[in-house]
Amino acid sequence: MGVIGYGLGVIGAGLAIGLAAYGCANAMARQPEIQGRAFTVFIMGAAFAEALALIGFVVALVVQ
């Protein structure tokens, strides 16, 4: 059962990173002068989403 929960957690993290990358690319295409700031925010968001995926992995291991 924990594997199913981890799989759902990974799907959520993947969607979050995909949406963040889309938003970052869209923002940089519209306003190239904010490229550095937008990329920094994207990296922070991707790190937080990956951290949530890792927490889901740990919880799946602990539950079993």
Side-chain angles (χ1 to χ4, degrees):
M1 193 67 174
V3 176
I4 294 171
Y6 176 62
L8 292 174
V10 170
I11 289 172
L15 285 173
I17 293 172
L19 288 173
Y22 169 75
C24 183
N26 198 8
M28 285 190 277
R30 291 175 186 263
Q31 293 181 334
E33 64 271 8
I34 65 161
Q35 179 178 1
R37 240 163 102 198
F39 187 71
T40 302
V41 171
F42 164 70
I43 291 296
M44 289 176 57
F48 291 143
E50 282 297 318
L52 288 174
L54 289 175
I55 290 170
F57 178 67
V58 170
V59 168
L61 287 178
V62 169
V63 169
Q64 286 185 355

